[in-house]
Structure formats: C-alpha cells, structure tokens
C-alpha cells in the first residue's frame, strides 16, 4: 500500500494490470518482480492496493484480511522468511457444503487455519495480546484456498504481496464462540483428503508461535499501512501446516481440536 500518498507509477500499474489479466483469463503470467522498481514490501503493497481498488470499483467490498506465510513449513515451501497480509473480498467466501468451481481458480492449494471474526475495531497504536483477544467475537476453523496469478508459483515476497498475498477463496466452519483466555497454541490440526489420507498436519504454535500473536502482528501492520482492522471483519490467521495442491474433484476435511471440522470440495474441471 502507498504510505506517502504518491500516485502510482507506470510500473506499479503495469504489474497490477498483469495480475488482473491473469485472474480474468485464468492464465498465470510471469513474475511481476521484473516490472517493479525494487523489492520493497511497500512496493508490493502498493500494487496490492491498486488491485483492491479496482475490485472495489467493480462493486465488491472488503470483508476481512488474511495473514500469509506464518508457518515455517509454508515459508520453506515458498522460499520466504516473513509473514504478509492480503485482503478478503465479499466474493471469496464459500460455504462448507458448497461445491467449489475449480475452473474459477488457476493453480490452487489448500491449507487449514484458525479464523477470527472481530466484533470491535483493532485500530489503536498499542494493540497487544490482551486487546486483540478482547476484540475477537468468534473463533472459527477455516480452510484457505490459496492461489497464484504467477506461473508455477515462481514467487518472491514482493510477488506474493503484490498478488494479494496469493489469495484465492476461503471456507469457514461453525463458530465456536469468543476467544477469551483460550490457548490456541496447542490446537492440533489434521487435514485429510477424500480418501481419508492425512495430507497435512500441524498445530497452533506453527502460526507465528501463537495465532493471537499473528493477529497482533496484522493489527499493527495494517494500522501502519493505513488500513486498520475493523469490527465485522474475518481474519484468517495463517496456516497451521503445509499447503496441499488441489486437483479437480478433490475434497478435504480439516479437524482442529477443540474447534471442530471444516470441509471443502471441488468440482471436476469441465472441458473447454
């Protein structure tokens, strides 16, 4: 996102246009890092903000945020070493019993997470674990379907930030009530495919040490970029284990101890 209010450069607009074109055609394109003047995080967020602005102009609305790259396993998969965040829009949510149209995705992968639904703003300068906990209205098991507009997931940190943190879709399970003093570090996650085979596993501690710490990081970072967290927003706190490729016709069920289960299923790819 643009911190100094300067108008976007031609390079930033070109990167955003390329990512929008890939999303529209469902054809991944080359990395955008080669179009950008530098690899600074602020440059990636400036492109991301252009993409979000275009979606808002199309009539969509922001419903939350996602934290990415919180798990060491996922960081290792993508060759990065710090978290990032993206924007959740109203057309990204899917129901737990909904058949997800895989043709709307490019090269999807899936990961299990803990989601928070805020019932208070988190816009103070001194957000800490206590204030973050107090702002959470519901804790929810979730599946995030990450996706990339960049061919072969050939991404660096600036690429994925520009590409809305490689966001795709998400599915929420049943709400489990307020966070309160619950310790989410010990939540264990097991995700199985349609055959019952475990394909990913992890725990709450894999998410920046504690999903609440991830929420604090996001609140502070979003505030610094001029987009503080607001009541009603859904926050995907980050993967608890490795992400898994999604094939046409596949299904996945994640079980999170103390939080229940959440399921996603995908259509067969249609001809043409």
């Amino acid at each position: 996102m643009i911190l100094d209010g300067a108008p976007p450069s031609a390079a930033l607009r070109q990167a955003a246009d390329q990512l929008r074109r890939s999303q529209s055609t469902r054809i991944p394109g080359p990395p955008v890092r080669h179009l950008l003047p530098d690899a600074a995080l602020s440059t990636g967020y400036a492109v991301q903000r252009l993409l979000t602005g275009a979606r808002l102009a199309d009539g969509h609305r922001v419903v939350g945020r996602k934290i990415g790259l919180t798990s060491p396993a996922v960081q290792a998969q993508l060759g990065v070493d710090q978290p990032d965040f993206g924007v959740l829009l109203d057309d990204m949510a899917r129901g737990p019993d909904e058949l997800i149209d895989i043709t709307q995705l490019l090269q999807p992968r899936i990961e299990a997470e803990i989601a928070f639904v805020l019932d208070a703003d988190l816009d103070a300068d001194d957000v800490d674990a206590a204030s973050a906990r107090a702002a959470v209205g519901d804790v929810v098991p979730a599946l995030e379907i990450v996706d990339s507009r960049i061919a072969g997931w050939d991404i660096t940190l600036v690429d994925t930030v520009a590409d809305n943190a490689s966001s795709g879709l998400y599915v929420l399970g049943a709400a489990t009530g307020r966070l309160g003093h619950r310790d989410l570090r010990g939540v264990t996650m097991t995700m199985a495919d349609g055959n019952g085979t475990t394909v990913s596993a992890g725990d709450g501690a894999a998410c920046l040490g504690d999903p609440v710490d991830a929420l604090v990081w996001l609140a502070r970072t979003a505030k610094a970029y001029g987009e503080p967290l607001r009541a009603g927003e859904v926050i995907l706190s980050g993967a608890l284990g490795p992400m898994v490729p999604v094939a046409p016709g596949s299904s996945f069920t994640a079980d999170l101890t103390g939080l229940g289960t959440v399921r996603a299923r995908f259509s067969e790819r249609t001809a043409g």
Side-chain angles (χ1 to χ4, degrees):
M1 297 179 183
I2 303 172
L3 293 175
D4 58 8
S9 67
L12 299 183
R13 291 195 298 269
Q14 185 179 0
D17 288 344
Q18 177 180 302
L19 291 168
R20 274 178 61 83
R21 186 165 52 252
S22 291
Q23 181 63 39
S24 176
T25 62
R26 306 295 191 269
I27 300 173
V32 296
R33 59 183 177 269
H34 305 304
L35 301 174
L36 300 175
D38 55 58
L41 279 178
S42 58
T43 299
Y45 283 120
V47 176
Q48 183 186 124
R49 187 169 190 174
L50 288 175
L51 290 172
T52 301
R55 297 298 309 284
L56 296 178
D58 289 340
H60 294 284
R61 57 188 177 85
V62 174
V63 298
R65 321 293 174 88
K66 63 152 284 184
I67 312 171
L69 307 174
T70 56
S71 163
V74 174
Q75 289 182 359
Q77 282 180 302
L78 297 180
V80 299
D81 61 0
Q82 57 184 298
D84 65 357
F85 73 88
V87 175
L88 301 179
L89 295 153
D90 57 347
D91 62 342
M92 295 169 64
R94 296 293 183 271
D97 297 317
E98 183 176 349
L99 184 65
I100 298 172
D101 182 0
I102 200 168
T103 66
Q104 299 301 302
L105 299 162
L106 289 81
Q107 40 191 351
R109 301 176 179 181
I110 193 168
E111 55 193 31
E113 312 192 4
I114 295 171
F116 302 116
V117 181
L118 302 181
D119 69 358
D121 294 346
L122 272 176
D123 57 355
D125 293 328
D126 56 351
V127 172
D128 57 13
S131 56
R133 284 179 175 275
V136 174
D138 274 310
V139 183
V140 187
L143 290 169
E144 183 185 359
I145 299 97
V146 293
D147 205 1
S148 180
R149 272 54 62 176
I150 295 170
W153 285 84
D154 178 15
I155 60 175
T156 62
L157 188 56
V158 73
D159 289 299
T160 187
V161 169
D163 190 22
N164 196 25
S166 302
S167 298
L169 307 172
Y170 68 94
V171 179
L172 298 181
T176 66
R178 299 192 65 87
L179 173 57
H181 296 291
R182 280 191 278 180
D183 186 351
L184 301 179
R185 293 172 297 178
V187 171
T188 59
M189 179 279 296
T190 304
M191 184 166 64
D193 63 16
N195 296 318
T197 301
T198 297
V199 293
S200 182
D203 56 34
C207 180
L208 284 187
D210 186 333
V212 176
D213 289 343
L215 177 59
V216 171
W217 174 88
L218 176 63
R220 294 174 176 174
T221 306
K223 168 77 171 180
Y225 278 101
E227 300 286 346
L229 305 183
R230 297 303 185 191
E233 290 192 335
V234 174
I235 308 299
L236 302 181
S237 66
L240 304 185
M243 56 186 178
V244 178
V246 174
S250 60
S251 65
F252 300 89
T253 301
D255 181 79
L256 284 69
T257 57
L259 299 178
T261 62
V262 57
R263 182 170 183 253
R265 58 193 185 99
F266 297 84
S267 68
E268 297 284 353
R269 190 176 299 278
T270 58

